[in-house]
Amino acid sequence: EDALAPGENGFFTEDGRVRFNELAAYKETAFGDYFITPLPASHGTQEPFIYLIRQGDRTLLYAHDTDYFYEGVWEYLQENKVKINLASLDCTEGTRHIKGGHSGHMDLERNRAVRERMLEQGIADGKTVFVASHICHGGRMSHSEAVKPEISRGIVIAYDGMELEV
């Protein structure tokens, strides 16, 4: 059964336990009025996902615990004419990405590269909000440094308690 709805036999089993469902890459699954598509994350662990979350005509890309996207993800987004309203991007590395290496996380430079490619390919437009999140102290970037326009360049820097409407 692909579609899940809140309530009886939806998110919970009949005896009240949380219902688990195995998700598959590139296969959209309905959860109530949300449609979620797992996409392969570039994280180096066993088959992790980032998620496209759609409700009506609004789409969120939740891309944490991933490095720059695999080409298959880019192809899926373009072939399916996905239009992102909000992209929450991993920025664990802050401004200190492992040069020439793969960390399983992004920094602001790679966030900007994702933003530019999405704009170029029509996956995003001038109304799309890009948010750098999943930030840690290891990236050697303070919030006050990150929000400077010359540093953030078109990307909103998340903070604890931040709320956005998609």
Side-chain angles (χ1 to χ4, degrees):
E1 132 184 343
D2 287 337
L4 298 179
E8 192 173 322
N9 293 323
F11 297 133
F12 302 97
T13 63
E14 288 182 21
D15 63 353
R17 294 179 186 201
V18 174
R19 181 183 205 168
F20 290 94
N21 293 277
E22 189 170 343
L23 300 177
Y26 304 109
K27 183 181 179 209
E28 183 177 82
T29 301
F31 291 88
D33 61 346
Y34 289 89
F35 296 88
I36 300 175
T37 305
L39 304 171
S42 176
H43 193 61
T45 57
Q46 295 181 358
E47 301 181 35
F49 293 129
I50 58 176
Y51 299 94
L52 270 179
I53 304 168
R54 182 174 55 85
Q55 182 186 40
D57 64 349
R58 310 299 289 166
T59 301
L60 162 72
L61 175 64
Y62 186 82
H64 294 212
D65 284 330
T66 190
D67 210 322
Y68 192 79
F69 307 155
Y70 291 125
E71 282 305 310
V73 170
W74 289 110
E75 290 166 10
Y76 176 88
L77 295 172
Q78 199 163 33
E79 288 170 7
N80 288 277
K81 297 179 177 25
V82 172
K83 297 292 182 196
I84 304 291
N85 300 99
L86 187 144
S88 183
L89 304 174
D90 182 281
C91 196
T92 300
E93 299 292 334
T95 57
R96 312 281 255 151
H97 202 286
I98 298 169
K99 300 300 178 197
H102 172 84
S103 73
H105 296 281
M106 288 191 274
D107 65 350
L108 270 172
E109 181 180 325
R110 289 191 181 184
N111 283 185
R112 287 191 292 270
V114 166
R115 179 180 181 272
E116 288 305 312
R117 186 162 177 183
M118 283 187 173
L119 291 168
E120 287 170 9
Q121 293 184 342
I123 298 164
D125 60 27
K127 294 179 184 176
T128 302
V129 177
F130 291 87
V131 179
S133 190
H134 200 247
I135 299 168
C136 81
H137 64 279
R140 293 181 173 68
M141 175 181 72
S142 71
H143 191 270
S144 60
E145 292 170 321
V147 296
K148 293 177 183 174
E150 66 272 18
I151 302 291
S152 60
R153 288 189 263 163
I155 297 182
V156 176
I157 308 300
Y159 55 87
D160 290 346
M162 181 179 192
E163 292 183 26
L164 295 169
E165 188 172 322
V166 179

